[in-house]
Amino acid sequence: MKVFEINGNTLSLALFTDVTNSKELLDSMQAGKLDPEVAFLNASLIPDVFPVLAAAHKTLIAKSRESLTTRTLHSELVYNYSGSKHITESLKRCGISENSSYVLAARFNASPDEMKAVERLINGKEIDLEELEGKADQAQIQKHYKISGPELGISTLADAITCRIAARDAL
């Protein structure tokens, strides 16, 4: 687990592999019974933490303006990470599915006890965030974010995603 400071708030991130209970996590999340509330992202679409931090920043700005697009702060993080304006599509694509085994858990302003509770929710092995890049599904990321080969010649995958996250509302 690692904690990042974002404009006076914190974002705690924990990366899990070999997750076996993603269906139960998804069901709890959709029923609004997840305690503590947490965002579960499809980690295979995340090549680096920087785009997640950009999405978190955008989420916190929307919260401060009382203009969340989704129902909760944590679903807003998944929505903002997607780069799409379609909420349902965003949550399905960048959130976890019933058979997800590689998951990034994210919680805003989490206490150590809350992050321990998040770790207990997930049946899987926690691994270091540094492993994101090596386990990212580059082909799937390029398809989802419509990143071309020439663009990757002058940019990184993480930078290309971050640009799309930042520019989504302007397009």
Side-chain angles (χ1 to χ4, degrees):
M1 183 193 58
K2 193 163 182 183
V3 180
F4 297 88
E5 168 84 28
I6 305 169
N7 289 353
N9 293 279
T10 61
L11 180 67
S12 300
L13 298 176
L15 182 61
F16 295 87
T17 189
D18 303 325
V19 176
T20 58
N21 67 329
S22 52
K23 182 180 181 349
E24 292 85 13
L25 294 172
L26 186 61
D27 292 345
S28 295
M29 196 169 38
Q30 289 173 337
K33 296 180 179 172
L34 205 55
D35 188 36
E37 184 186 315
V38 63
F40 293 121
L41 292 107
N42 176 357
S44 64
L45 293 176
I46 304 172
D48 187 70
V49 295
F50 187 71
V52 177
L53 297 177
H57 186 267
K58 196 170 184 176
T59 299
L60 290 168
I61 288 172
K63 180 186 175 209
S64 73
R65 294 177 179 164
E66 297 182 8
S67 63
L68 292 179
T69 305
T70 65
R71 280 190 251 156
T72 69
L73 188 65
H74 292 90
S75 62
E76 189 83 5
L77 175 63
V78 178
Y79 170 68
N80 280 328
Y81 185 77
S82 78
S84 169
K85 289 186 180 183
H86 303 283
I87 298 169
T88 304
E89 169 94 11
S90 298
L91 298 177
K92 280 183 183 174
R93 192 174 285 170
C94 292
I96 61 169
S97 66
E98 290 185 359
N99 55 6
S100 295
S101 62
Y102 185 45
V103 175
L104 181 70
R107 176 152 170 84
F108 287 101
N109 301 315
S111 69
D113 287 344
E114 287 172 329
M115 282 313 288
K116 290 272 188 244
V118 168
E119 290 170 17
R120 284 192 298 272
L121 284 174
I122 301 169
N123 295 337
K125 177 182 168 224
E126 186 173 358
I127 59 175
D128 196 83
L129 288 173
E130 301 298 320
E131 297 198 36
L132 278 170
E133 186 177 1
K135 290 180 170 270
D137 184 340
Q138 185 163 343
Q140 194 64 32
I141 293 169
Q142 283 182 261
K143 179 181 173 191
H144 173 66
Y145 289 98
K146 297 177 180 78
I147 301 169
S148 65
E151 183 178 357
L152 286 179
I154 59 168
S155 178
T156 66
L157 213 49
D159 289 344
I161 294 169
T162 303
C163 286
R164 282 156 177 78
I165 291 168
R168 177 185 69 199
D169 297 329
L171 299 175

